[in-house]
Amino acid sequence: MKKKLILVLNCGSSSIKFSIIDPVKIVKYIDGIVEFMQTTASLIIYDYIVDKKLLNKFDNINSYEQLIILIFDILSSKYKNYINYVIGIGHRVVHGGEYLNKSMIIDHDVLLKIQQASIFAPLHNPFHIIAIQISLQKISKLKNSNIAVFDTAFHHTIPKKSFLYAIPYRFYKNYSIRRYGAHGINHLYITQTCSLFLKKSLDQVNIISCHLGSGSSITAIVNGQSVDTSMGLTPLEGLIMGTRCGDIDPSIIFYMVQHLGISITEVQKILTKESGVLGISDLTSDFRELEKKYYMHKKVKLSIDMFCHRVCKYISGYSVLMNGRLDAIVFTGGIGENSSFIRNKIIKKLSLLNFFVDIKKNIKNNKKNFFINTDCSKPILVVQANENQIIAQETYDLLK
Ligand code: ADP
């Protein structure tokens, strides 16, 4: 039988990731990552079948377009044996705005709407658009098989009472200002994985999914659907993050601008790039470093304590909104998957909700997904994030 593979593209402002996946057998053939700074870029492609790494360095890169074209050229020349079997290309798109509420085949209208949603994700959507346009040109036989999979789509089930902001209604009606959330592709993957691990059908999964990485978000999932999430119009709201402030009183912005004379552009930079645990610790946004210095450095301790406090606040708030139907808490993302220290700190505060951590099970092991709760606790799971699996699956399902 002929293989049917999906090329998954995840194009961000500072890195490009891609994979070639068999979505039915759930087999990954290759993984690639490009990291770039100004005019140079490094590309690593890992071929799982022959267990081999390909390393490339590019200089004199003049544009993002040029880099994407280079990637396609390398894939088409050196990985023909996979590319020839690719039947569709799945693009991760961070923001779908008000109208793109499920995965879609990319046509002129969808591309236009992704462009319009750029206003809410200026660091992501413009790069997705470039990648989509080049992919449409470069592999012309797949012109009608490019699929956009949105990080906001999973959150379109959130009811109005939680997606609206209490500002004049016209701002929603006329300008689509509302909560959209983010990390939806992974929160959906977590929901599907929990359905297997908790032995429940997807429409009976009731969990709180904690995606803790350099960007962090928490989602309340009832009957397999997102009912509330911590990120808002943009990924700045909610939890304290690596460099983002999360929830703050909007008056802080007026104060900075009107009384401290800081320009609005500078305020935006402060709140997105200089805040979070970096801003409090005055040291780093890297949780590995922060953990090492937790007992030595007062501001480091404070930054981690603040981070965990905010996570607990969201978990406990959502548990009430879920009408007592909370079955499990799930940790995912770079911190959620790897830091037993942070998980322990969070769960220790949740005994009132009947969650208790087993110290031994909580220690990092080499399993992808594992339970860390005691026998008398409700389930607590650690699940490795896997957006690509969902993107490949959605792309395949739409093309079928
Ligand atoms: P992104 O949002 O960029 O996808 P990740 O989900 O990869 O981010 O998470 C990155 C974060 O995970 C960083 O803050 C990093 O310090 C943290 N992290 C990775 N490994 C560990 C670890 N072993 N212990 C604590 N934190 C970790």
Side-chain angles (χ1 to χ4, degrees), residues 85-216:
Y85 292 107
V86 168
I87 58 156
I89 303 176
H91 297 265
R92 179 192 190 175
V93 179
V94 162
H95 216 299
E98 179 78 1
Y99 303 106
L100 302 171
N101 57 8
K102 57 178 193 297
S103 300
M104 293 192 184
I105 297 180
I106 300 171
D107 57 15
H108 179 72
D109 185 49
V110 169
L111 200 55
L112 193 71
K113 291 201 168 86
I114 296 174
Q115 215 146 19
Q116 285 161 355
S118 291
I119 196 157
F120 302 134
L123 296 179
H124 294 96
N125 278 24
F127 297 97
H128 304 326
I129 292 164
I130 295 172
I132 290 168
Q133 281 167 333
I134 291 169
S135 130
L136 290 169
Q137 289 160 16
K138 278 292 205 184
I139 309 192
S140 52
K141 69 166 185 175
L142 299 178
K143 213 167 60 207
N144 300 316
S145 309
N146 279 256
I147 308 293
V149 182
F150 301 97
D151 253 319
T152 44
F154 183 59
H155 300 303
H156 269 272
T157 45
I158 293 179
K160 216 171 195 173
K161 65 184 172 198
S162 50
F163 78 60
L164 272 189
Y165 291 106
I167 57 175
Y169 195 81
R170 64 178 184 278
F171 286 98
Y172 166 59
K173 199 100 181 79
N174 300 339
Y175 306 104
S176 303
I177 293 181
R178 50 162 285 182
R179 175 184 312 287
Y180 290 100
H183 291 145
I185 301 173
N186 194 43
H187 287 303
L188 169 60
Y189 174 75
I190 298 297
T191 312
Q192 291 186 356
T193 308
C194 279
S195 153
L196 296 175
F197 271 76
L198 301 175
K199 300 187 175 61
K200 285 185 145 201
S201 62
L202 197 63
D203 61 1
Q204 285 184 357
V205 172
N206 302 306
I207 55 168
I208 292 179
S209 169
C210 308
H211 183 123
L212 311 178
S214 46
S216 296

Side-chain angles (χ1 to χ4, degrees), residues 16 34 36 38-41 58-74 130-131 134 137-138:
I16 296 170
V34 188
F36 48 94
Q38 286 152 2
T39 58
T40 61
F58 307 116
D59 292 314
N60 307 320
I61 302 284
N62 297 318
S63 65
Y64 197 82
E65 282 88 338
Q66 190 194 354
L67 191 55
I68 303 274
I69 290 170
L70 273 169
I71 295 169
F72 269 102
D73 287 345
I74 289 179
I130 295 172
I134 291 169
Q137 289 160 16
K138 278 292 205 184

Side-chain angles (χ1 to χ4, degrees), residues 211 213-215 285-288 291 333-335 338-339:
H211 183 123
S214 46
S285 61
D286 188 332
F287 275 74
R288 282 164 291 205
E291 268 184 48
I335 302 161
N338 296 302
S339 176

Side-chain angles (χ1 to χ4, degrees), residues 15 17 92 183 211-216 241-242 244 277 284-291 332-342 364 385 387:
S15 80
K17 293 179 191 149
R92 179 192 190 175
H183 291 145
H211 183 123
L212 311 178
S214 46
S216 296
M241 306 180 217
R244 291 174 236 163
V277 289
T284 175
S285 61
D286 188 332
F287 275 74
R288 282 164 291 205
E289 285 303 305
L290 294 172
E291 268 184 48
T332 181
I335 302 161
E337 291 160 30
N338 296 302
S339 176
S340 45
F341 180 76
I342 300 279
K364 174 134 182 66
E387 280 99 353

